[in-house]
Amino acid sequence: MQGSVKHPGIPELKKESYLKRLGRNIQQYPSLYLLFIPILLYFLVFKYGPMFGAVIAFEKYRPARGIFGSQWIGLKNFRDFLTGPYAQRTIVNTLMLNFWQILIGFPAPILLAILLNEVSQKRYRKFVQTASYLPYFISLVVVCGIIKDFTASDGLFSDILASFGFPRENLLTDGRYYRAIYVASSLWQSCGWGSILYIATLTNADPQLYEAATIDGAGRFRCIWHITIPALLPVIIVQLIMRIGNIMSYGADRTLLLYSPAVYDKADIISSFVYRYGLQDLNFSYASAVDLFNSVINLILLYSANRIADKLTGESLW
């Protein structure tokens, strides 16, 4: 065993406990910890507090009897979902919708940020940035209402298709087009806003690297490949990990506003399924079991994505 080496004249450092360090930091930065209190209360009240209610997933919950008085049925709700007729449909739809969202929607803000970074005219760049940010500030309800009007049988898109000889139809009631409409509308609304983080990251890139690469004869594409993308890589990895960890829960609000029974076979995802059974049919226990199953899968995906990213790139959340 190797002992600690003591040097004469140098005092030995004692390992300070976490509570002592915390107390010293609170005394040193009281205003920062005061700002942290509302955030802490938010997570305690709205995130950790409701976790106790997850116990109803293992009960035949009746509101009149309460959590402690309802009948305990164990894993029956989970078995009913996994062996029922809707488990495969909702899981496949959730994965497919998020697969296209990640494949198309995730790299789009990165590409936009890189293109804007290459624009030398500041006025044009600011105009494009502002124009791409604006859709994000439009209410999702308004956006989905516009999409429904445009995709109706007498809407704008149907008029365009009819001019090319296609029959008029309500595009949102056709499962063949639902996912494309969903992904396109999400991309239009969130692409510009999602690029802000990457644009801010590129402002910290060392301009001397670009100058040195240009002197060495590198063109724009080589500068992007060897300087811009490596500068963005840590942020890209973290954002991708968080996105993968949210696969099973992403897209509930837009789905609820766009889908209809006619396209359940392509549009019904786990989050919308939980909403219908929990809030419309008042089957709280069954919906809680499905949502808890969903959360466990998200946790597994998040942990797996973090481990894989850490091994491949050295970048991770923890």
Side-chain angles (χ1 to χ4, degrees), residues 3 23 28 50 70 97 102 151 172 174 185 197 211 226 229 302 310:
Q28 190 173 0
S70 298
L97 191 64
I102 293 176
T151 57
L172 272 180
D174 193 330
S185 63
L197 180 61
E211 294 175 3
H226 293 287
I229 294 179
L302 177 64
D310 189 26

Side-chain angles (χ1 to χ4, degrees), residues 17-293:
S17 66
Y18 170 75
L19 292 178
K20 287 184 177 180
R21 285 188 286 111
L22 179 61
R24 190 183 70 249
N25 289 335
I26 291 176
Q27 292 179 355
Q28 190 173 0
Y29 307 105
S31 57
L32 294 180
Y33 282 90
L34 285 175
L35 290 174
F36 175 69
I37 289 176
I39 301 173
L40 178 63
L41 291 176
Y42 167 80
F43 278 96
L44 289 177
V45 174
F46 296 103
K47 300 297 181 181
Y48 291 98
M51 289 176 67
F52 173 74
V55 71
I56 69 174
F58 305 92
E59 297 178 341
K60 189 175 182 180
Y61 177 70
R62 294 291 181 267
R65 296 182 179 180
I67 294 177
F68 298 102
S70 298
Q71 179 186 358
W72 183 268
I73 58 175
L75 299 176
K76 183 179 182 302
N77 289 320
F78 296 90
R79 289 195 298 266
D80 290 346
F81 171 68
L82 294 175
T83 59
Y86 302 114
Q88 182 178 359
R89 184 185 76 179
T90 54
I91 293 173
V92 170
N93 287 342
T94 303
L95 293 176
M96 287 300 299
L97 191 64
N98 281 277
F99 168 78
W100 289 111
Q101 283 282 75
I102 293 176
L103 183 65
I104 299 175
F106 183 78
I110 303 172
L111 181 60
L112 178 60
I114 293 174
L115 292 176
L116 289 174
N117 188 60
E118 295 298 315
V119 175
S120 57
Q121 297 181 2
K122 292 185 178 180
R123 288 186 178 180
Y124 178 72
R125 182 170 58 187
K126 289 182 178 180
F127 171 78
V128 174
Q129 284 181 276
T130 304
S132 63
Y133 298 162
L134 286 178
Y136 181 82
F137 297 97
I138 303 175
S139 170
L140 182 60
V141 177
V142 175
V143 171
C144 291
I146 294 173
I147 293 171
K148 285 185 176 182
D149 290 338
F150 281 9
T151 57
S153 56
D154 57 349
L156 175 63
F157 295 158
S158 294
D159 291 341
I160 295 174
L161 292 175
S163 65
F164 289 97
F166 292 95
R168 289 182 173 275
E169 61 176 325
N170 191 328
L171 301 179
L172 272 180
T173 59
D174 193 330
R176 296 174 299 173
Y177 308 122
Y178 176 82
R179 289 174 183 164
I181 295 172
Y182 183 101
V183 174
S185 63
S186 177
L187 181 65
W188 172 76
Q189 189 174 18
S190 61
C191 180
W193 183 259
S195 67
I196 292 178
L197 180 61
Y198 303 106
I199 293 173
T201 303
L202 289 177
T203 57
N204 295 323
D206 190 355
Q208 294 181 357
L209 294 176
Y210 291 95
E211 294 175 3
T214 304
I215 293 173
D216 290 340
R220 283 198 169 186
F221 289 105
R222 284 190 174 274
C223 289
I224 291 173
W225 183 257
H226 293 287
I227 301 175
T228 305
I229 294 179
L232 292 173
L233 189 60
V235 179
I236 293 174
I237 295 298
V238 170
Q239 291 295 310
L240 183 59
I241 292 172
M242 296 176 65
R243 182 64 183 83
I244 292 175
N246 199 34
I247 278 180
M248 302 298 286
S249 301
Y250 185 83
D253 45 3
R254 191 178 300 270
T255 298
L256 292 172
L257 292 170
L258 288 179
Y259 82 153
S260 63
V263 290
Y264 275 176
D265 58 329
K266 297 292 184 181
D268 194 22
I269 60 177
I270 292 181
S271 298
S272 60
F273 182 81
V274 169
Y275 171 81
R276 289 202 314 276
Y277 272 78
L279 296 181
Q280 293 183 347
D281 298 342
L282 302 181
N283 194 342
F284 301 112
S285 295
Y286 185 75
S288 297
V290 177
D291 198 40
L292 184 58
F293 164 79

